[in-house]
Structures are given as structure tokens and as C-alpha cells.
Amino acid sequence: MSTVSEERYGEWIVVRKDAGSHVAELVLDRPKALNAVSSEVAARLAAACEALAADDGVRATVLTSSNERAFCVGADLKERNSLSDAELGRHRPTARAAYTGVLELPMPTIAAVHGYALGGGFELALSCDLIVADPSAVVGLPEVSVGVIPGGGGTQLLPRRVGAARAAELIFSARRVEAAEARELGLVDVLVEPGQDRAEALALAARIAGNSPVGLRAAKRALRTGWGMDLRAGLEIEDAAWRTVAFSGDRAEGVAAFNEKRKPQWPGE
């Protein structure tokens, strides 16, 4: 009997949940437009992330694409071309909510990237904790070539991955980076065989999800909140996160299972 459920958010966003593995798949499903992020896509993606964040049964999420040629090509420039300045301004909070929604998912997140991941598409991947890519992946932040700047977190997330100077070179040049160089530069974390990005990301997510859900969320919170802090402040953040798990049911179960040489049955609290 299948343990996978599926829910659609509008026409172009799908969430699949595997109750057996505690892994969710967040699917960009606008294939004819190479998953270009329109106002509607952004709104539905934000709604899907809000629902995922509230689901304690999800221990890891994988962001994938239903299109074989692309992960996501970024903002829908055809839509943008039709917007007045006032309309573009009104659209901005919706766009931000989509990227922030992915970034602030409380469980570990993995992007499975193949083909083009450009502009806002790469920013969605950067919003995840890990990026798995296949050799067809082409990533980059080309926004300055069309008169804007990365606005989905790219100017902040990229330097945290590769350092300020490397991020400046990539953003200022607007160049596209192919998979092998992207792995070398740290723009992606894992490079897999052709066509295996989704399968490998889901397998990694399942391994991650076998661990304590309370521990996973606390570890992510400490990692994310501690970014950019000095060491002393970061250690205080870590201590606060530690205290949320040290007296939890998951900690008690984990220690008991270790001593009894059995697999933990996490209560998730």
C-alpha cells in the first residue's frame, strides 16, 4: 500500500509526502515555461511552504522540477515585461514570500538540480541547505544583464557559500557556470550521474529523515541563526538550540535505543 500522498497548490506547485520515509517533495511543475516564477507560481509556492513548515511529520524536504530541461529559469520575464512599475512593486512581497518560504522551512532541505537553474531559479536552490546536481546543471545569477539584481536572496546566500569575492565575480559578470565548475566552486554540493539528481536527493533526504526530527530542526536553527555571528554569540545560539533537545522525548528515546542496540522510534517531541 502506497504511503505517498499528493497535494497541488494551484496549477504549478505539487507537494508529495511519503509517510513512510517522512520526506516531502516540493515540485516545480510549470514545464512549458521551464518553471519560470510568475506571480501565481510565487504565491502558490509560498502557500505550499507555509503548509510544509507546519507539518511536524515532515523531517526533510526535496525541491525538484518536473521539467527534464530545467530546474527553474528564474523570474517570468514575459510577465514582468507586461507589468507597470506600480504592478511590479505590488508583486514584490509575493515574490519575496516564495523565496523566504523555502529559506525558512524548518526541516533540512535539498535542491535536486538539472539543466538550467538561473536567477531566481538558482536562488531557490541556494535557499535550500544542500544542492544535488547532475552534469547537465547550469547555474548562475545573471540579473545585472537585464538591469536588476538578484532579489531572491542571492546577494546574501551566495557569499555565504563561496565567499564575498567569488560571489562578486559571479554576480557582476552574470556568467553561467556548468556543473563541474559549479561543484569545484561550491555552488553545488553533490554531483551525481546524469538524470540521478532527484533520486539521489530523495535518498539523501530519507537518510537524513531517519534521525531525530527534534534534533534536525534544532540543528538547522542553530546553523542558520548562527550565520555571520561572532563565535561567542554563535555558541550561545547553539546552547539555546541544545536546550530545546536535551530534555526532549527524542533525546530520551535516542539514548535508550543506543543502549538497547535498536532503531529509535522517534516521538518527535
Side-chain angles (χ1 to χ4, degrees):
M1 184 175 178
S2 175
T3 60
V4 179
S5 63
E6 182 173 300
E7 184 172 359
R8 185 169 285 276
Y9 290 78
E11 186 177 355
W12 295 315
I13 300 295
V14 179
V15 174
R16 300 190 188 105
K17 296 178 184 176
D18 187 333
S21 67
H22 297 280
V23 172
E25 184 178 5
L26 179 57
V27 187
L28 304 174
D29 188 30
R30 195 188 180 194
K32 291 182 180 180
L34 303 183
N35 294 325
V37 182
S38 64
S39 302
E40 176 66 13
V41 169
R44 299 301 184 175
L45 181 57
C49 287
E50 183 178 5
L52 276 172
D55 190 339
D56 291 335
V58 176
R59 300 178 188 173
T61 295
V62 179
L63 181 62
T64 67
S65 162
S66 66
N67 184 281
E68 294 182 357
R69 291 177 50 212
F71 174 73
C72 174
V73 294
D76 186 338
L77 296 184
K78 289 184 178 179
E79 179 189 63
R80 292 282 180 91
N81 193 47
S82 70
L83 298 178
S84 67
D85 287 353
E87 289 169 332
L88 181 61
R90 287 195 294 271
H91 168 68
R92 177 61 176 163
T94 303
R96 287 196 69 187
Y99 296 104
T100 303
V102 175
L103 182 65
E104 294 186 351
L105 283 170
M107 73 292 290
T109 52
I110 304 168
V113 174
H114 58 265
Y116 297 114
L118 300 172
F122 188 39
E123 288 174 303
L124 287 175
L126 289 171
S127 296
C128 295
D129 299 301
L130 296 167
I131 302 174
V132 174
D134 89 346
S136 71
V138 178
V139 305
L141 297 176
E143 284 88 344
V144 297
S145 70
V146 293
V148 291
I149 69 166
T155 65
Q156 305 306 304
L157 296 171
L158 190 58
R160 283 169 165 80
R161 269 189 166 267
V162 300
R166 178 66 69 190
E169 183 265 318
L170 292 167
I171 291 171
F172 296 162
S173 69
R175 72 182 179 95
R176 300 179 179 190
V177 182
E178 295 187 0
E181 184 186 3
R183 175 65 186 88
E184 182 181 336
L185 296 179
L187 299 174
V188 304
D189 303 300
V190 181
L191 196 58
V192 300
E193 294 298 315
Q196 293 301 304
D197 52 291
R198 176 178 177 271
E200 292 289 345
L202 288 169
L204 175 56
R207 293 196 297 274
I208 289 170
N211 297 309
S212 158
V214 172
L216 288 171
R217 291 185 179 221
K220 176 165 179 172
R221 191 164 60 249
L223 283 163
R224 286 291 182 91
T225 309
W227 276 352
M229 297 285 188
D230 64 53
L231 179 58
R232 182 169 295 180
L235 290 173
E236 291 301 317
I237 289 167
E238 180 185 80
D239 184 67
W242 179 86
R243 291 176 184 278
T244 67
V245 299
F247 311 106
S248 68
D250 272 15
R251 194 276 307 169
E253 169 60 12
V255 172
F258 176 84
N259 284 285
E260 295 166 16
K261 296 181 173 57
R262 60 175 175 80
K263 185 178 180 180
Q265 300 297 314
W266 304 115
E269 58 185 21

